[in-house]
Amino acid sequence: TVDMLIEHDPDHPLSKVITRMFGEERPKLNDTEKKERQSLKLHNNAPHMTKLLLDIGQDLVQESTYCDIVHARNLPETPKNIETYKQVAAQLKPVWEALRKRNEPYKMKMLSCQVCGFKTESRMILQSHRSTVHFKNGKYQCAMCPEFDTNEQRLINHYLESHLVIASKDEAQAKYPCLICDEDFQYKGLRDTHLRTCKKDYSRGPDDQLMINRWLWERPPIDPTILQQQQAAQQQQVL
């Protein structure tokens, strides 16, 4: 279903999309199935594909945003009032869980690199990743086949000759990334020096972990005053 939606032209009816993807060979329906299909068409209008895609995309983005809020990840800044933030996160958690369940049919299958375990939902991203020479266990490994070599340039030549791919060299990964911004450092001392000037309003623990992560998996109590305000607002809407 997801592949159909992604490749679908919103100006074409869904029947043409199905024909284009599966051809004219369709299983024949018996009388009962034909009646059920007619009943569905009568009582359920076909959705506009563009609107359907927009709704699915909006739900996926909303789920991702709520997930970050609930788990305190990728926050633009440290919450000024941690207790209030914990209450908001606790109230958003059931909404996020409902969105995650509703979006499950529209999530694409995770694809992984067999050499390093890198995962992505995009075939294009995986293809780009696999065009990079992998260095593992003291040898250079091709991510498209079992071929390996101790010489990086020879393996790059293998990519071109065997797979018609212009391979790129494997860049060394930074050992000490900054937990606040996107900077990477090869040495811990450089990272520690950077942390002194990076977002001073963030509080850091002894292991350079954000203090906000200390309550990450604790379920905070819900403030009854917030529930009372919500109930009062709902009553005003009814009136």
Side-chain angles (χ1 to χ4, degrees):
T1 303
V2 175
D3 292 338
M4 289 172 57
L5 292 174
I6 291 175
E7 298 183 13
H8 175 54
D9 185 340
D11 295 329
H12 291 173
L14 187 58
S15 58
K16 287 187 177 181
V17 179
I18 297 174
T19 302
R20 185 182 65 184
M21 296 188 68
F22 302 103
E24 298 294 341
E25 298 181 0
R26 302 185 193 177
K28 295 183 179 180
L29 304 177
N30 56 37
D31 294 338
T32 303
E33 291 174 335
K34 289 180 180 179
K35 290 181 180 179
E36 291 179 353
R37 176 166 293 187
Q38 290 176 355
S39 176
L40 286 173
K41 289 183 178 180
L42 182 63
H43 298 92
N44 299 278
N45 295 327
H48 191 279
M49 295 304 296
T50 301
K51 184 179 184 303
L52 179 61
L53 287 173
L54 287 174
D55 292 341
I56 293 174
Q58 183 177 0
D59 287 345
L60 290 171
V61 172
Q62 196 172 24
E63 178 197 344
S64 177
T65 303
Y66 286 177
C67 180
D68 286 344
I69 295 175
V70 170
H71 297 98
R73 297 183 307 202
N74 303 321
L75 300 179
E77 60 182 8
T78 302
K80 296 180 180 179
N81 190 319
I82 295 296
E83 293 301 323
T84 302
Y85 184 90
K86 290 162 64 175
Q87 294 168 7
V88 173
Q91 293 182 11
L92 281 179
K93 186 175 181 180
V95 181
W96 163 67
E97 291 175 343
L99 280 170
R100 183 176 60 174
K101 184 176 181 180
R102 185 169 65 187
N103 292 336
E104 195 63 34
Y106 306 111
K107 294 180 180 178
M108 301 182 68
K109 181 180 179 181
M110 294 296 293
L111 306 172
S112 61
C113 173
Q114 296 180 352
V115 178
C116 67
F118 169 78
K119 294 183 179 181
T120 179
E121 295 178 344
S122 171
R123 295 182 183 275
M124 295 180 62
I125 293 177
L126 181 63
Q127 184 177 3
S128 175
H129 169 82
R130 293 174 66 187
S131 66
T132 302
V133 175
H134 287 54
F135 184 76
K136 185 178 181 181
N137 298 329
K139 59 186 178 182
Y140 295 97
Q141 176 72 51
C142 176
M144 297 184 174
C145 71
E147 184 71 19
F148 65 89
D149 202 308
T150 56
N151 183 277
E152 186 177 22
Q153 187 58 48
R154 283 201 298 263
L155 194 64
I156 290 177
N157 295 338
H158 158 78
Y159 267 90
L160 185 60
E161 295 171 359
S162 301
H163 306 294
L164 301 179
V165 172
I166 301 176
S168 57
K169 295 184 178 181
D170 189 13
E171 297 181 0
Q173 296 183 355
K175 297 180 180 179
Y176 301 99
C178 175
L179 299 175
I180 299 173
C181 66
D182 296 330
E183 290 290 333
D184 294 326
F185 300 92
Q186 289 291 335
Y187 303 100
K188 186 175 184 298
L190 294 176
R191 194 272 307 273
D192 293 342
T193 302
H194 164 80
L195 284 173
R196 297 191 186 100
T197 58
C198 181
K199 299 279 186 179
K200 291 184 178 181
D201 57 324
Y202 278 81
S203 298
R204 295 186 295 274
D207 297 326
D208 291 334
Q209 296 290 335
L210 297 181
M211 298 292 288
I212 196 172
N213 289 334
R214 291 186 176 181
W215 53 267
L216 186 59
W217 301 110
E218 298 176 1
R219 184 178 180 85
I222 299 178
D223 188 352
T225 58
I226 297 179
L227 296 177
Q228 293 174 2
Q229 293 174 1
Q230 292 178 346
Q231 293 174 357
Q234 292 176 356
Q235 292 177 358
Q236 290 179 359
Q237 291 178 356
V238 173
L239 296 176

